[in-house]
Amino acid sequence: VIGHPKYQESRRIAIFLSMPDEIQTEEIIKDIFKQGKECFIPRYKPHSNHMDMLKLSSAEDISSLTLTSWNILQPSDDDSAREEALAGGGLDLIFMPGLGFDKKGNRLGRGKGYYDTYLERCMKHPSGKPYTIALAFREQICESVPVAENDVQVDEILYEDC
């Protein structure tokens, strides 16, 4: 990931905070700050499909985040001091989680459509749609995954030996 050309050229990067069954992103987050890039993480709104990408000030900033009922760390609802990526310069790159992927770029998420609706919002931003990279285990690559018409394909899927 760290040697990937899209990562190297990106300045504003959104990345998920890993759940135990996902590719662990902690070292990537540390590298984002080490390289002087800007790091944004998701804040999901429960009972909706709305998500914002809020800026982290440092890798250590993660310890100040709130644990949701889904066991995901994220900025609290009343945290209004953080920059939302689309209120500023947009994003260059989004690292995306998922449960399953196919080699056509289709992604099976957890069913709420958070990333799909966020990418739709990105497309309306002056900086346009960021490049998207899904981080996966080889076992998550399927022949095909079910898709709906509002699902947005990922640009690239990175997994072991890909």
Side-chain angles (χ1 to χ4, degrees):
V1 170
I2 290 168
H4 193 288
K6 288 288 185 185
Y7 175 77
Q8 287 294 321
E9 70 189 37
S10 294
R11 304 301 319 145
R12 294 169 60 90
I13 300 171
I15 189 164
F16 58 97
L17 298 178
S18 313
M19 294 175 71
D21 62 345
E22 295 174 328
I23 296 290
Q24 297 302 294
T25 58
E26 186 178 342
E27 293 304 315
I28 301 168
I29 292 168
K30 287 178 183 173
D31 190 75
I32 290 170
F33 286 104
K34 185 176 150 195
Q35 293 204 32
K37 300 172 184 288
E38 294 177 88
C39 184
F40 296 81
I41 57 165
R43 178 172 66 190
Y44 307 95
K45 284 213 172 49
H47 315 296
S48 77
N49 63 357
H50 186 86
M51 172 178 78
D52 289 317
M53 290 292 185
L54 300 180
K55 190 173 184 178
L56 275 182
S57 58
S58 67
E60 295 73 33
D61 189 13
I62 294 169
S63 64
S64 73
L65 302 176
T66 310
L67 197 60
T68 69
S69 59
W70 299 325
N71 257 355
I72 298 172
L73 285 170
Q74 68 177 27
S76 64
D77 288 339
D78 59 0
D79 186 342
S80 58
R82 296 177 188 273
E83 176 192 342
E84 201 295 314
L86 296 180
L91 290 166
D92 302 316
L93 174 64
I94 299 179
F95 286 109
M96 298 172 64
L99 299 176
F101 308 91
D102 66 29
K103 291 186 176 173
K104 293 182 232 102
N106 294 311
R107 172 186 161 274
L108 181 66
R110 296 186 185 265
K112 296 279 189 187
Y114 286 109
Y115 279 88
D116 298 311
T117 44
Y118 192 78
L119 287 168
E120 291 289 333
R121 287 171 52 210
C122 289
M123 289 178 210
K124 295 174 183 151
H125 189 273
S127 66
K129 180 186 168 290
Y131 194 79
T132 54
I133 298 177
L135 300 177
F137 296 108
R138 183 181 20 209
E139 295 79 9
Q140 291 176 287
I141 308 303
C142 308
E143 193 62 41
S144 68
V145 295
V147 292
E149 66 180 51
N150 60 330
D151 288 344
V152 180
Q153 289 183 319
V154 295
D155 294 311
E156 192 172 346
I157 303 160
L158 290 183
Y159 59 96
E160 279 181 301
D161 308 323
C162 63

